[in-house]
Each structure stands twice: as C-alpha cells, then as structure tokens.
Amino acid sequence: MPLKKINTVLSAAFILFILWFGTDFILSPETTAPGFGLPSWPAGDGGGFLIIKGIRDVVLALVLGILLVTGHRRALGWVLLVEALAAYGDMTTVLAHHGSVGIALGIHGLTATLMVVNGLLMMHETRKVAAAPASPAPQPA
C-alpha cells in the first residue's frame, strides 16, 4: 500500500476518533468522563470543564480534517506532531491525578504516539515536495 494512502487512512481515523470522542464529551460528559481515566468526577460545577475538553477535541479534529481535505499534507504532518502534545498532556494529567495508568498509557499515550508516527510518516511522504527548489518566476519581456 502506498505511503500516501496509509497516511490518509491513519489521518482520517484520527480525525473521526477525536471528533467522536469530543462530541461525546459535549453531549454526555457524565457517561464519557469515566473513560478518560481520572479517578473522580469534578467537584462542584467542574463538569463544565469536561464540555470544554470536548470542544477542544472537536476543534483539533476539524483542524486536521481541513488540512486533509484541502491537500495541505505537509502542514497536516506538522499539526499531527503538535496536536499529539494534547494527548500526551491528557496522559500526564491522568497520571498526575492518580488516575488509571492503563487508560493513561493505553489510550492517551498510545494515541499520542500513533499521532507522532502518523505525523512523521506524513513529513516523510512530503519531504521531496518540500525540498524541491522553487523555479524562478517568469520575467516580463
């Protein structure tokens, strides 16, 4: 299977996964939150932060989707690398708050690492395009 097709399938899978997860946090944070890995529900009015997390995820997915659909593959590679930091941050948050180690590493850490791999593969795919010298603009006669 060509690298471009692998990258496209992986990117599309991340987009759909992040969009689904974010939408779940917006629509039903009380049922989605336990799967995040933290040991307890936020106290007081803290549940609103779960909706913020959902909005963040939806926006992250939309940014990836726009880059994929418009064909900006090198930018997509860079954004995958940067957005992996959000998943590593989620992993660190779960671990720092004595949440589930399995979920922290198995969901957040694995997702982040796969995003990095996809981003690096995308950068590898587009390296020739980025390295190609620009041809001089035609000069008027």
Side-chain angles (χ1 to χ4, degrees):
M1 183 180 290
L3 184 56
K4 184 174 183 176
K5 186 172 219 138
I6 291 169
N7 285 335
T8 300
V9 169
L10 284 173
S11 297
F14 280 121
I15 292 163
L16 293 174
F17 174 72
I18 297 167
L19 190 61
W20 165 74
F21 202 67
T23 302
D24 256 8
F25 262 98
I26 293 168
L27 298 178
S28 58
E30 63 282 345
T31 58
T32 308
F36 187 77
L38 291 173
S40 63
W41 182 261
D45 196 26
F49 286 102
L50 298 173
I51 295 171
I52 291 170
K53 186 248 186 286
I55 292 169
R56 177 200 76 174
D57 286 351
V58 168
V59 170
L60 293 174
L62 292 175
V63 169
L64 293 172
I66 289 168
L67 291 172
L68 181 63
V69 169
T70 59
H72 291 90
R73 298 181 73 79
R74 188 143 186 97
L76 176 58
W78 281 111
V79 172
L80 279 162
L81 292 172
V82 171
E83 286 191 11
L85 295 173
Y88 281 128
D90 291 347
M91 176 189 75
T92 304
T93 300
V94 171
L95 292 172
H97 289 88
H98 310 291
S100 167
V101 173
I103 290 175
L105 300 176
I107 295 176
H108 303 296
L110 181 61
T111 298
T113 302
L114 290 174
M115 287 178 79
V116 167
V117 168
N118 190 194
L120 292 173
L121 285 173
M122 192 70 73
M123 300 301 284
H124 181 72
E125 171 199 324
T126 60
R127 76 189 183 290
K128 292 178 186 170
V129 174
S135 57
Q139 300 298 320

